[in-house]
Amino acid sequence: MDTKKSIHGEWSSRTAFILAATGSAVGLGNIWKFPYITGENGGGAFVIVYLLCVALVGIPVMMAETLFGRRGRENPVHTMAILTKEANADEHWPYLGWMGMIAGVLILSYYSVIAGWACGYVLKAIDGSFFGVDAQGAKNLFMAFTASPLQLLFWHTGFMVATMFIVARGLSQGFEKSIHFLIPGLFLLLFLLVGYAMTTDSYFQGLHFLFNPDFSKLTGNAILVALGQAFFSLGIGMGAVMVYGAYLPKKVSITETITIIAVADTVVALLAGIAIFPIVLSNGLPLNSGPGLIFESLPIAFGNMFGGWLFGILFFVMLVFAALSSSIALIEPAVSWLVENKGMERGKACWYAGGVTWLLGFGSALSFNVGADVTVFGKTFYDLLDYLTSNLMLPIGGFCIAIFAGWMMGQAHSEAELAMAKPLHYQAWRLLIRYLATTAIFVVFLSVVGVV
Ligand code: PFF
């Protein structure tokens, strides 16, 4: 097993892996979702819980998922089957790969709808819609846009076609290159927006909201949302990282690379928050605007800053690309499963997986307009899918990964894969994965179900 290479080849370098995995991690989750759920959940205290979830649960689980991938070197279902056999564990473990695949398709179905909004906003940026816009104008723009089922379905379709086109051409080809400019470009634009936020009269108020914890605002559900967001944002708990790990050369240190990726991912989310909240507050926008938050606030910045026309276009183009690099990771587990387990040709597998995802996306697209009143448990189709995937499937997936890595897999195997320089570091990881990660996820679940 030690000499096994991925049947798909390997990343050309450690940097290539870091860029691709960061491309998967950094996406709408950081720039669109983190600010809006932070707004909905009261700010500072939520952010602290989120950071703790990333550091103490997210990073150890992400390391575990990567090491599974590198050890198994195949799609998540196969990889889990191989590791299950090696560990002599219960034959049902490969279902973990299944759940991840399904979670990926479900997430992509609505992720693509939101990415479609970003596509639509590229056009709005180009045609000058943001010029001199105020809070009410930006809100009207967003409402008019999302009220149109046709527009949302059009962009959702376009985004899915682009995603499947790239996936059909194979994973690492060509794509590595585009990420080289994507991540640095995104950082630059976020810094620019932070610069603009500094010129508003609510900069410090925004920082206060984001970093000054008021624990009285923290609910049990907010903790679950923070945990779910840690999984969502890092892109873990569903096999995507396992797929990328399968391409990772043996010599590369998992600990170092995963830490770099997690830190970069977190910095992007925090920068987005630092840029957005001052704009929201200084324009009197509600903090809990929900999924529309960045679309209602950032146009004000672009419409009123120097060079805003160009920066607005660049920003939304970057956002679309960041979403693309995540979408590819979301669908890859399903596609590689169809290819490897069902013997399908890659192009055909993309049609199948992409087609199902695209159709499911209709439910989410319509839940922002004509289907807004269709609710189950008081949630729209989009809300329901988001809850099901981020707050249930990903944490359950993460829990199972932690159990498998900490309790099923032989210590010698995980130790060999992680190959840490200091035995103490390995022990720390093992403690976190065996006890802390598992207990934390379990307790958060119980508390939400009302048992604790
Ligand atoms: N991490 C991505 C984001 O924050 O937008 C979303 C995502 C990508 C989740 C890949 C899961 C995944 F496998």
Side-chain angles (χ1 to χ4, degrees):
M1 171 106 43
D2 276 355
T3 51
K4 188 171 178 188
K5 286 206 166 177
S6 168
I7 51 175
H8 308 282
E10 285 195 344
W11 297 108
S12 55
S13 66
R14 185 178 92 126
T15 318
F17 171 76
I18 292 183
L19 285 170
T22 310
S24 149
V26 174
L28 297 172
N30 309 62
I31 294 166
W32 156 76
K33 197 169 181 197
F34 175 77
Y36 102 67
I37 57 176
T38 300
E40 284 180 339
N41 288 285
F46 175 82
V47 172
I48 291 196
V49 174
Y50 172 72
L51 294 178
L52 285 175
C53 288
V54 168
L56 299 177
V57 181
I59 294 182
V61 170
M62 194 171 185
M63 286 168 61
E65 202 177 325
T66 313
L67 83 84
F68 289 0
R70 187 163 72 179
R71 200 160 180 83
R73 293 255 191 238
E74 289 192 27
N75 71 58
V77 179
H78 262 169
T79 287
M80 284 316 296
I82 292 169
L83 299 184
T84 300
K85 213 163 173 197
E86 185 184 61
N88 238 334
D90 185 274
E91 57 177 342
H92 291 96
W93 278 102
Y95 283 111
L96 181 56
W98 266 95
M99 190 176 73
M101 243 164 43
I102 295 170
V105 166
L106 294 180
I107 293 176
L108 182 56
S109 75
Y110 67 79
Y111 199 84
S112 160
V113 172
I114 311 294
W117 296 1
C119 298
Y121 266 58
V122 172
L123 269 200
K124 290 195 191 309
I126 293 175
D127 74 14
S129 300
F130 304 157
F131 191 70
V133 83
D134 60 6
Q136 192 55 45
K139 195 175 172 60
N140 292 345
L141 209 61
F142 179 70
M143 303 265 272
F145 177 63
T146 47
S148 158
L150 265 186
Q151 284 204 57
L152 298 200
L153 291 177
F154 173 78
W155 291 114
H156 162 59
T157 306
F159 185 82
M160 274 310 298
V161 169
T163 302
M164 298 328 294
F165 183 75
I166 300 175
V167 175
R169 299 184 52 174
L171 189 63
S172 50
Q173 292 166 15
F175 200 68
E176 275 182 27
K177 290 190 196 83
S178 68
I179 299 180
H180 279 267
F181 69 82
L182 177 66
I183 304 291
L186 209 56
F187 267 104
L188 276 181
L189 282 171
L190 283 173
F191 276 119
L192 180 92
L193 280 170
V194 170
Y196 174 82
M198 282 177 179
T199 68
T200 67
D201 48 16
S202 302
Y203 182 62
F204 290 104
Q205 223 184 319
L207 288 187
H208 189 267
F209 175 74
L210 207 51
F211 295 115
N212 197 34
D214 174 356
F215 286 99
S216 67
K217 287 193 184 142
L218 201 64
T219 60
N221 191 56
I223 300 178
L224 177 65
V225 173
L227 183 71
Q229 174 65 7
F231 282 100
F232 187 92
S233 190
L234 293 172
I236 54 179
M238 49 151 287
V241 174
M242 231 185 271
V243 173
Y244 279 1
Y247 301 78
L248 191 63
K250 260 275 162 318
K251 334 184 264 308
V252 175
S253 155
I254 290 183
T255 317
E256 258 175 51
T257 39
I258 295 304
T259 308
I260 293 172
I261 294 162
V263 169
D265 186 69
T266 308
V267 170
V268 173
L270 292 177
L271 279 178
I274 296 171
I276 284 157
F277 285 110
I279 301 170
V280 168
L281 289 167
S282 70
N283 286 284
L285 289 165
L287 289 160
N288 59 350
S289 314
L293 187 70
I294 69 160
F295 294 93
E296 291 176 8
S297 55
L298 292 182
I300 308 173
F302 293 124
N304 295 285
M305 69 162 72
F306 176 74
W309 178 76
L310 182 65
F311 294 136
I313 298 173
L314 286 177
F315 177 83
F316 284 107
V317 168
M318 290 272 176
L319 192 57
V320 171
F321 274 93
L324 257 181
S325 60
S326 299
S327 306
I328 293 165
L330 280 163
I331 195 96
E332 182 61 32
V335 170
S336 57
W337 179 78
L338 286 176
V339 171
E340 288 163 24
N341 291 43
K342 295 280 151 208
M344 243 183 226
E345 185 229 327
R346 195 169 174 88
K348 192 169 168 199
C350 285
W351 271 108
Y352 275 67
V356 170
T357 314
W358 173 70
L359 273 180
L360 260 175
F362 277 50
S364 292
L366 301 183
S367 74
F368 292 101
N369 38 63
V370 288
D373 295 330
V374 184
T375 56
V376 181
F377 305 124
K379 290 187 188 304
T380 64
F381 190 81
Y382 158 73
D383 287 331
L384 206 64
L385 265 193
D386 179 38
Y387 194 87
L388 177 73
T389 50
S390 308
N391 297 355
L392 297 177
M393 293 176 90
L394 296 187
I396 291 175
F399 180 76
C400 295
I401 288 173
I403 294 278
F404 193 91
W407 297 94
M408 302 291 147
M409 197 171 196
Q411 182 169 346
H413 295 154
S414 56
E415 200 163 5
E417 256 346 294
L418 289 178
M420 287 163 157
K422 297 207 174 77
L424 200 66
H425 291 176
Y426 174 76
Q427 287 310 332
W429 171 81
R430 200 165 154 83
L431 276 180
L432 283 177
I433 205 87
R434 277 171 82 103
Y435 301 105
L436 199 106
T438 43
T439 319
I441 302 174
F442 196 64
V443 169
V444 170
F445 265 120
L446 286 190
S447 68
V448 171
V449 189
V451 182
V452 172

